[in-house]
């Protein structure tokens, strides 16, 4: 889907017997890393961003351990991607959730310090209203499929 990039992590030392080393967020200004551990059968997110916070325009996170699914909906299409050891980059105005198929650990890179008063995080409940307001195309049946997928967890 346009506005979302999923990249498998590439080790910088694939022959090292000790294990792998990955260089992530290379060249990016980082002021905060948020580490999230989620239990199997839960989900995180189920929101979108408008890009008001530079850390959400683009939102960047890395799946460190575990396997999940990234559910993304942009108003006209819906995708579900298997994610593990991946860097994920999400642009504004894309409704998204991470479903933990196993216990999962991921980190989010922020170029700003998190401000609870200005999160630039908007719930799924307001997404269709927002798209209507902007006169964007909407496939409502896919939106309901998105929500149904999360309800089945």
């Amino acid at each position: 889907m346009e506005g979302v990039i999923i990249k498998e992590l590439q080790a910088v030392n694939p022959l090292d017997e000790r294990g792998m080393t990955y260089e992530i967020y290379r060249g990016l200004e980082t002021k905060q890393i948020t580490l999230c551990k989620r239990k199997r059968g839960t989900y995180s997110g189920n929101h979108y961003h408008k890009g008001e916070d530079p850390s959400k325009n683009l939102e960047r996170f890395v799946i460190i351990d575990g396997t999940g699914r990234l559910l993304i909906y942009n108003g006209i299409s819906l995708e579900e991607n298997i994610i593990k050891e991946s860097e994920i980059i999400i642009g504004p105005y894309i409704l998204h959730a991470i479903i933990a198929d196993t216990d999962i650990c991921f980190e989010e890179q922020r170029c700003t310090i998190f401000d609870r008063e200005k999160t630039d995080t908007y719930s799924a409940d307001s997404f269709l209203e927002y798209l209507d307001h902007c006169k964007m195309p909407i496939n409502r049946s896919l939106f309901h499929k998105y929500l149904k997928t999360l309800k089945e967890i």
Side-chain angles (χ1 to χ4, degrees):
M1 176 181 299
E2 187 175 325
V4 177
I5 299 169
I6 302 171
K7 298 189 293 189
E8 184 178 324
L9 295 180
Q10 299 295 319
V12 294
N13 64 337
L15 302 177
D16 192 326
E17 294 175 3
R18 299 172 300 164
M20 300 301 153
T21 299
Y22 304 95
E23 295 176 347
I24 54 177
Y25 314 130
R26 189 177 183 140
L28 297 176
E29 179 181 340
T30 301
K31 293 192 177 183
Q32 180 176 326
I33 298 288
T34 302
L35 182 66
C36 302
K37 295 172 84 174
R38 299 293 184 260
K39 295 181 183 200
R40 177 181 178 259
T42 64
Y43 67 85
S44 297
N46 193 26
H47 60 242
Y48 66 101
H49 310 285
K50 294 181 181 177
E52 298 157 345
D53 177 348
S55 289
K56 299 298 181 180
N57 189 13
L58 305 163
E59 181 177 24
R60 298 173 182 273
F61 54 96
V62 170
I63 307 301
I64 297 170
D65 191 35
T67 302
R69 290 172 282 152
L70 177 66
L71 193 60
I72 49 178
Y73 170 72
N74 65 1
I76 54 174
S77 61
L78 173 66
E79 290 183 13
E80 188 172 315
N81 298 279
I82 303 296
I83 51 174
K84 63 179 183 176
E85 291 186 354
S86 304
E87 178 181 14
I88 297 150
I89 304 167
I90 301 176
Y93 310 109
I94 297 174
L95 186 60
H96 57 280
I98 297 174
I99 301 166
D101 292 330
T102 66
D103 287 355
I104 195 169
C105 181
F106 60 94
E107 67 177 22
E108 178 184 349
Q109 181 263 354
R110 295 187 55 87
C111 62
T112 59
I113 301 295
F114 179 68
D115 181 349
R116 292 195 188 283
E117 301 299 317
K118 295 187 260 179
T119 63
D120 188 18
T121 301
Y122 299 89
S123 74
D125 297 338
S126 68
F127 194 59
L128 291 185
E129 181 181 320
Y130 175 76
L131 294 176
D132 272 339
H133 174 75
C134 294
K135 304 201 183 324
M136 302 285 288
I138 301 172
N139 183 325
R140 292 180 190 282
S141 64
L142 289 180
F143 176 72
H144 294 296
K145 185 176 180 181
Y146 171 96
L147 294 177
K148 183 179 178 196
T149 301
L150 294 179
K151 285 180 183 174
E152 291 173 350
I153 296 177

